[in-house]
Amino acid sequence: SQKIEQNSEALNIQEGKTATLTCNYTNYSPAYLQWYRQDPGRGPVFLLLIRENEKEKRKERLKVTFDTTLKQSLFHITASQPADSATYLCALITGGFKTIFGAGTRLFVKA
Amino acid sequence: GAVVSQHPSWVICKSGTSVKIECRSLDFQATTMFWYRQFPKQSLMLMATSNEGSKATYEQGVEKDKFLINHASLTLSTLTVTSAHPEDSSFYICSAKTTNEKLFFGSGTQLSVL
């Protein structure tokens, strides 16, 4: 069956360190993969999109990698700040632009 | 970035009543909008895909007669939860797709059915 897995356990890191979040998927062949941030009681906010033919994408302190062989994406936040604390969702975009979300990983950045 | 406005942000209703949620793309035209529901600490579950001027496409297990979707214009889609019951209480979120293949989300609607 098709599955998207993100670390269900919360990730706790110290301010200034790099946070790395993992997204693994099975039985999909996504055209794109996206990462979103979601704060409690709010809708997701788009962060980055990476296409199947791209290995890496960067935006300010954010970096995303996409390995279609391993069926894995890594999301990095460098020089993390307490304001980065949120839930981060991985989303696969399949044919017809149907978006399938992972359950998200909760990130806590301690000052 | 593009702005998607969703209203209301929260609603409390009695069991058996209907609730309408609006989703508007404020600064772009969206031929396709999506509706999701999310339970606490769970992922967003796609309910249906709404295409302007045509019938919505519902995901398996979603009752189309209960969750009525209308996408009458390029900037507005509505979700009506008919005859709501307590088990329909959830966080409902819409999103709209831009022409450059990005999704922008509304801020969500927390529905509580008493």
Side-chain angles (χ1 to χ4, degrees), chain A residues 9 49 54 90:
Chain A
E9 292 183 20
L49 175 154
E54 297 176 316
C90 158

Side-chain angles (χ1 to χ4, degrees), chain A residues 25 28-34 49-54 66 68 92-98, chain B residues 101:
Chain A
Y25 60 93
Y28 283 113
S29 294
Y32 315 92
L33 186 145
Q34 298 182 338
L49 175 154
I50 187 165
R51 301 174 195 277
E52 61 179 337
N53 60 350
E54 297 176 316
F66 192 11
T68 54
L92 301 182
I93 291 76
T94 63
F97 212 82
K98 184 184 289 190
Chain B
E101 299 158 343

Side-chain angles (χ1 to χ4, degrees), chain B residues 14-30:
Chain B
K14 291 182 179 179
S15 186
T17 60
S18 295
V19 174
K20 180 186 281 190
I21 303 170
E22 289 190 350
C23 181
R24 292 179 186 274
S25 56
L26 296 186
D27 51 359
F28 67 100
Q29 293 184 330

Side-chain angles (χ1 to χ4, degrees), chain A residues 32 34 36 38 41-46 49 51 89 96-103, chain B residues 34 36 38 41-44 46 59 91 93 97 100-108:
Chain A
Y32 315 92
Q34 298 182 338
Y36 291 83
Q38 186 176 26
R42 305 303 299 268
V45 174
F46 171 80
L49 175 154
R51 301 174 195 277
L89 305 172
F97 212 82
K98 184 184 289 190
T99 305
I100 313 297
F101 284 87
Chain B
F34 303 89
Y36 307 80
Q38 185 178 34
K41 297 185 180 180
Q42 293 189 24
S43 182
L44 284 78
L46 180 65
E59 295 300 302
F91 192 55
I93 309 174
K97 182 170 79 77
N100 60 348
E101 299 158 343
K102 291 182 181 176
L103 276 183
F104 289 90
F105 286 79
S107 53

Side-chain angles (χ1 to χ4, degrees), chain A residues 17-89:
Chain A
K17 301 292 185 184
T18 295
T20 298
L21 287 71
T22 305
C23 175
N24 294 295
Y25 60 93
T26 57
N27 297 328
Y28 283 113
S29 294
Y32 315 92
L33 186 145
Q34 298 182 338
W35 284 87
Y36 291 83
R37 168 185 174 139
Q38 186 176 26
D39 291 287
R42 305 303 299 268
V45 174
F46 171 80
L47 296 175
L48 281 168
L49 175 154
I50 187 165
R51 301 174 195 277
E52 61 179 337
N53 60 350
E54 297 176 316
K55 296 292 184 189
E56 183 179 297
K57 206 79 169 281
R58 290 175 186 261
K59 179 182 174 183
E60 297 172 355
R61 294 185 295 112
L62 309 179
K63 184 178 85 170
V64 172
T65 63
F66 192 11
D67 188 327
T68 54
T69 303
L70 291 178
K71 293 187 182 295
Q72 181 182 77
S73 175
L74 298 178
F75 177 76
H76 306 272
I77 305 175
T78 59
S80 59
Q81 305 165 1
D84 295 326
S85 299
T87 297
Y88 291 86
L89 305 172

